[in-house]
Amino acid sequence: MKDYHFQENEQDFGKTVRLDDINEKVKKLEEGGEDDLGDARAFLNAFESEKFDAPEEPASEGAEHRRRVREEKFKMDKKTMGILALAAVLACILGFAAVRWGFQAEEPPVAVAGEPFPMLAESISEEWIKGYDITAAERKTILLTEETLFLDENGQESGADSIHGGDVAVVTLSEDGETALSIDCGGDGISTREATGLAAEESAGKLIGEKDSYAYGKQAMFLYREEELSPKDLEPCDLLELTLVDDVVWSVQVLEYHGYIEVENAKNIKDGKIRLDEEEELPLEEGMKLAVRAGQHQVTVTGSNIEQRTDTLFVEAGEDLEYDLSKAQEKMGVIIIDANVTDYKLYINGAAAESPAVLPMGEYDVVILKNGYMEWNQHVTLAADSVTLHAELLKDIQYGTLTVTADVEGAWVYINGEEYGVAPMEVNLPYGTYHVQVEKEDYETFRQSVSIHSAAASLHATLE
């Protein structure tokens, strides 16, 4: 015990006395000596000298006996009070000593760490992190203090600003289960990788590509520039950074996001094809949308009726860019007419034209007209630099009715030397000029030319 010290009554708090010194002082008090509290015997004498009023009794033997009894009792009371006073002083000294020993012996509590667990950070402030406990499958709020240790993905010490919404970290809590001792973004079980060519199949909770596929948690976060996305917003062209815990994706950061090229006015392009950058050609369709990473791209369009065209387009992330093909340069060709007549009229698709006719490649109806000739027409496909059409026009034959009469009965009618019958008679003949003879025995032959240029003509023969 002699190695412990206690505070002395009237001295500075920092000064202490040993217990053997205290024991020495107590011994002196019992022997009637003096100490810092004063002379104990003088105190008792002063206490004895106090006057106490009591009724006087006659001096007798009984009275004398009672007087001695009172004196003895009074002496005992004085001794008892002195001992009590001494005990009170010792109690004060011991109390102060105990308090001082308590200050010296108390040590700060040591925080006891809990079991580390992976957590998906959802929202963050200077005082807390709210997120999803992947192991316990529940949301939690973790308190932060100045003593919380933050480690980046490389295990290097960092600050609270190194963790953001969508990050996955291993969290170690103190014994209270609420305060973070450490937050390690590169903790055991956490891995990251870049991937592209993936599309989300929400019903299965998977990101699926041609070669790889990944399951993702129901609480997984998908973000682009700190803005949360839906899994269905992803396109295979996007470049993704996946953060996994035990082969399950819990955070998807879109490093390169997509926009769209929307094709318009492609319906007039025949056999159209479209190629993006160096990718394979796709059939060209009206209103088709091509998902491409944000940035500059080359688009090539071909068709049987247009010249090949290549355009450089700049697509912004999350935006639709209209690609208008109404001004696509049409591929041109020439239709040449080789006819057996001249001075004809040429019509192509109902419009007057001249030969040679320079036209966009495509399909056409060609018509040639000339008086006295039948109409010539043909459907033609212009798919080369030039097409020659050989047109053989036939004469347009019209008929009129020729009526031949005679002034005698039984006369025979000959037209251009060919017998036609007995007059009167009617015959349909093509437009033209004809030589008519009317004969009867005993009469001179009747001869005359007649022209047919209308629906009807007539001739009367007079025989002599």
Side-chain angles (χ1 to χ4, degrees):
M1 289 292 293
K2 65 181 180 179
D3 293 332
Y4 290 89
H5 296 75
F6 297 87
Q7 183 181 358
E8 204 168 12
N9 191 35
E10 293 183 355
Q11 299 191 16
D12 183 71
F13 184 78
K15 186 175 180 180
T16 59
V17 296
R18 292 170 40 168
L19 284 178
D20 49 3
D21 293 334
I22 295 171
N23 292 332
E24 184 64 29
K25 290 181 180 293
V26 172
K27 184 177 179 181
K28 287 182 180 181
L29 287 172
E30 292 175 346
E31 294 175 352
E34 290 188 4
D35 66 355
D36 294 338
L37 295 175
D39 188 350
R41 189 172 300 279
F43 171 77
L44 293 175
N45 290 336
F47 187 83
E48 185 180 6
S49 64
E50 294 292 333
K51 304 289 186 179
F52 293 91
D53 295 332
E56 295 185 0
E57 295 185 2
S60 62
E61 185 176 350
E64 182 63 25
H65 173 73
R66 287 192 295 272
R67 183 184 64 78
R68 286 197 301 267
V69 171
R70 285 196 301 269
E71 288 179 355
E72 289 297 328
K73 184 178 180 181
F74 184 71
K75 289 180 181 180
M76 290 179 63
D77 290 341
K78 289 194 291 183
K79 185 175 181 179
T80 300
M81 293 182 65
I83 293 172
L84 291 175
L86 178 60
V89 173
L90 288 175
C92 291
I93 294 173
L94 292 174
F96 279 111
V99 171
R100 179 173 178 81
W101 179 84
F103 277 111
Q104 290 178 340
E106 183 178 358
E107 295 291 338
V110 178
V112 179
E115 187 70 22
F117 62 90
M119 179 176 180
L120 171 64
E122 295 175 338
S123 58
I124 302 162
S125 76
E126 295 180 355
E127 299 176 350
W128 47 257
I129 295 178
K130 293 182 179 180
Y132 185 74
D133 183 339
I134 295 172
T135 301
E138 63 181 11
R139 282 189 166 83
K140 288 183 178 178
T141 298
I142 304 303
L143 302 179
L144 305 177
T145 68
E146 293 182 356
E147 286 73 32
T148 300
L149 175 63
F150 291 88
L151 300 174
D152 62 20
E153 59 273 10
N154 299 316
Q156 301 296 317
E157 187 172 346
S158 60
D161 56 355
S162 64
I163 186 167
H164 306 88
D167 288 348
V168 179
V170 171
V171 178
T172 302
L173 299 179
S174 65
E175 193 176 28
D176 64 8
E178 296 182 352
T179 305
L181 296 179
S182 66
I183 297 178
D184 186 357
C185 291
D188 292 340
I190 299 177
S191 61
T192 60
R193 66 193 65 176
E194 290 187 2
T196 190
L198 301 178
E201 187 175 311
E202 292 186 276
S203 59
K206 288 186 176 181
L207 297 172
I208 299 177
E210 291 184 1
K211 298 180 179 179
D212 303 313
S213 65
Y214 303 88
Y216 62 86
K218 291 183 178 180
Q219 307 301 327
M221 295 182 67
F222 296 76
L223 299 111
Y224 174 66
R225 294 182 178 177
E226 300 184 358
E227 293 291 331
E228 194 162 1
L229 304 173
S230 169
K232 66 182 179 181
D233 293 332
L234 299 181
E235 291 285 356
C237 62
D238 294 333
L239 178 62
L240 311 176
E241 182 183 75
L242 311 178
T243 302
L244 302 92
V245 176
D246 297 331
D247 297 326
V248 177
V249 175
W250 288 97
S251 176
V252 178
Q253 297 282 348
V254 181
L255 304 180
E256 294 183 28
Y257 197 44
H258 66 271
Y260 291 99
I261 296 174
E262 186 170 357
V263 178
E264 294 186 349
N265 296 312
K267 56 183 176 293
N268 294 325
I269 298 177
K270 306 298 183 182
D271 306 317
K273 302 285 185 181
I274 186 168
R275 183 174 68 248
L276 176 68
D277 298 324
E278 300 302 321
E279 297 179 7
E280 295 184 1
E281 283 186 335
L282 298 172
L284 183 65
E285 299 176 1
E286 178 68 21
M288 69 188 304
K289 293 179 72 172
L290 301 174
V292 297
R293 285 189 195 173
Q296 183 172 294
H297 298 274
Q298 280 193 334
V299 178
T300 302
V301 176
T302 60
S304 60
N305 64 334
I306 65 167
E307 299 289 346
Q308 176 176 305
R309 61 178 294 168
T310 300
D311 297 292
T312 300
L313 306 178
F314 187 85
V315 181
E316 296 185 4
E319 300 294 332
D320 290 357
L321 177 66
E322 294 182 358
Y323 183 43
D324 187 1
L325 292 175
S326 62
K327 295 182 180 179
Q329 183 178 354
E330 295 179 300
K331 188 181 291 185
M332 307 300 287
V334 178
I335 295 178
I336 300 172
I337 305 297
D338 178 19
N340 63 335
V341 296
T342 58
D343 299 329
Y344 56 79
K345 292 183 179 180
L346 176 63
Y347 296 90
I348 298 178
N349 283 356
E354 293 182 358
S355 176
V358 180
L359 299 167
M361 290 190 178
E363 296 185 355
Y364 297 94
D365 289 317
V366 179
V367 175
I368 298 175
L369 299 177
K370 182 176 175 62
N371 287 334
Y373 291 84
M374 298 181 65
E375 177 184 298
W376 184 93
N377 62 75
Q378 185 174 326
H379 183 80
V380 61
T381 298
L382 181 58
D385 291 339
S386 65
V387 172
T388 299
L389 302 180
H390 299 282
E392 188 72 27
L393 275 71
L394 300 175
K395 286 187 176 182
D396 182 11
I397 301 176
Q398 293 180 311
Y399 287 84
T401 300
L402 175 62
T403 301
V404 179
T405 60
D407 60 350
V408 295
E409 294 182 357
W412 288 88
V413 177
Y414 297 85
I415 300 174
N416 287 348
E418 184 179 352
E419 183 180 326
Y420 272 79
V422 178
M425 62 169 299
E426 290 183 353
V427 59
N428 288 328
L429 297 172
Y431 280 11
T433 300
Y434 296 92
H435 298 287
V436 179
Q437 290 181 197
V438 179
E439 296 179 357
K440 187 175 180 179
E441 188 177 356
D442 298 331
Y443 289 87
E444 291 186 3
T445 300
F446 177 86
R447 293 181 178 86
Q448 186 174 328
S449 295
V450 62
S451 294
I452 301 175
H453 295 294
S454 61
S458 62
L459 183 149
H460 180 71
T462 301
L463 299 179
E464 296 178 355

